[in-house]
Amino acid sequence: MDFALAPFRVAVSKPAQRAYIRTLLFILTGALLLVSAIVAYVVFYYNYIPQIGVERVVHLQFGDGNPYGYASLGQGLVSQQAYDVYIHLHLPRSPPNRAAGNFMLDLSLISPNSATHLAAPSETDVLAHSRRPAILTYMSPLANIVNTIAEVPLLLLGFRKEAEKLDVRMMEVVEFAKGWRNVPNSLRLEVQADEKMQVYSTSVRFVARFTGLRWVMYNHRIISFLAGTALFWLIELSFTALAWITLSYYLTLNNAPTQSSPTIKPEPDETDSPLSSTPRTFPTFSRRPPLQYPTPRTTPGPDPSTGDDGESSEDLVFEREPALAGEADDEEEEEEKEEGIGEGEMFSVGRTAGLETRPTDSGIGTSMEEGRGRGLQRRRSRPA
């Protein structure tokens, strides 16, 4: 049974769950970045590729002199892009137009700083200028009569008109320098002829001539879309991975446990004690056990409520080794009684009601003194 459940346990284990979450996050992030790459390419395409054709209708003004007209170009043209400029004329095949023969078309592209209401812009306001001839197609009188008879049904039904359309190329590969001041925002067209010209309609068309990357993106749109989207997607994935690695590094660095140095156990401060903490043994009077100095014991001082200073006191307890049997000296005991020094008082020095100072260690010797107050006295030698 355990062998059968082993794959299931591996599939639901903690490492497997982390792998599932990471894979899901990677897929979602990749899909989101793919959508953003598509949007980025579309925005780049419409900003980098200008309009292939910009056409403006020109309303000619008739009166004294040659007919002319102005048209606004707006934001249709861009800098550093080559254009071919055409003029489209719709003219009737009337006797005045056939009698005019050749006539001239004068086109001027005007900078944004010029006022278009003037009859003729100054040379400083003209960014590009061209003057080209035009003429209706010649037809002999006999051919004209035959053609008219053949087209009578269409003329009567309104499917055909006695008119002709002319497309005149005015400029080739005209390019404007970088900067909005160098891109024209209006134009002026004038029809110059000896006879009064009759015109149905007039328009000016700008045709962009793409080269390089613009030509590839415009003429091969699907391939350009796939390649551009993949390029944007790879760039976004690279920067996302770099940001993820950097963030993970800093998070790992901040969450890493700091190795603390081993703490040294502080030793108790013994500067307050005037005595050494090392046990010592001192020789005493003749035939008496040596005087032992154990480690001093610290005892709490009197209660502060009693008016005492409340400091802790250290009592020095001297212990004497038990006396050997048969070595008691009655004569020495009598001398001690005479001197009024008790055995316990000689070998136990400490804080008493009458002493305020602490005993001081005089080192190895045969006597011990107190700095102040009553203490031990040197033993008087016996007379010979």
Side-chain angles (χ1 to χ4, degrees), residues 268-329:
D269 189 7
E270 300 178 354
T271 57
D272 295 340
S273 176
L275 302 179
S276 174
S277 60
T278 304
R280 297 175 184 269
T281 303
F282 303 101
T284 57
F285 305 109
S286 61
R287 297 183 182 183
R288 289 192 177 277
L291 182 65
Q292 293 184 354
Y293 167 55
T295 302
R297 296 188 300 270
T298 303
T299 58
D303 191 358
S305 60
T306 59
D308 200 354
D309 54 358
E311 295 181 354
S312 62
S313 60
E314 296 180 353
D315 294 340
L316 180 63
V317 179
F318 296 92
E319 297 179 357
R320 184 178 60 179
E321 294 182 357
L324 299 177
E327 294 183 0
D329 193 346

